[in-house]
Amino acid sequence: MTDDIIAALKTVYDPEIPVDIYELGLIYRVDIDDDRNVAIDMTLTAPGCPVAGEMPGWVENAVGSVQGVQSVKAVIVFDPPWDQSRMSDEARVALDMW
């Protein structure tokens, strides 16, 4: 189920950056309990992100579509603050940020 959840997270993109939120390092924690309820801590590239109010819903919808998931709750956190070091190599290549 974890691989399917990660695949679902990779379908969600920050509209200002052509890289998915998982590769950007915006997902801090994914917790799946025994009843298959999923709790996600995520962040944004900047606190003033224009889609801050919508992004958790996008994540919840994507992960909620994974077979077997009972419920999803995504929460935005800003501790620790996001920085470019959280990006995967794939994201760095896509954005030419080495």
Side-chain angles (χ1 to χ4, degrees), residues 65-97:
S65 70
V66 173
Q67 185 173 359
V69 168
Q70 296 303 307
S71 69
V72 184
K73 181 64 178 170
V75 177
I76 294 179
V77 298
F78 292 104
D79 187 28
W82 179 87
D83 64 50
Q84 294 177 3
S85 70
R86 300 190 62 87
M87 293 170 37
S88 71
D89 287 344
E90 180 180 314
R92 291 175 188 281
V93 168
L95 298 173
D96 196 24
M97 298 179 83

Side-chain angles (χ1 to χ4, degrees), residues 20-95:
D20 69 77
I21 62 170
Y22 188 83
E23 297 299 334
L24 278 173
L26 299 182
I27 302 300
Y28 285 178
R29 181 183 69 91
V30 177
D31 184 49
I32 308 165
D33 71 14
D34 292 339
D35 296 323
R36 297 184 175 173
N37 299 306
V38 181
I40 299 171
D41 287 348
M42 62 176 293
T43 195
L44 305 168
T45 55
C49 179
V51 295
E54 299 171 55
M55 187 80 72
W58 297 346
V59 169
E60 290 170 356
N61 288 337
V63 174
S65 70
V66 173
Q67 185 173 359
V69 168
Q70 296 303 307
S71 69
V72 184
K73 181 64 178 170
V75 177
I76 294 179
V77 298
F78 292 104
D79 187 28
W82 179 87
D83 64 50
Q84 294 177 3
S85 70
R86 300 190 62 87
M87 293 170 37
S88 71
D89 287 344
E90 180 180 314
R92 291 175 188 281
V93 168
L95 298 173

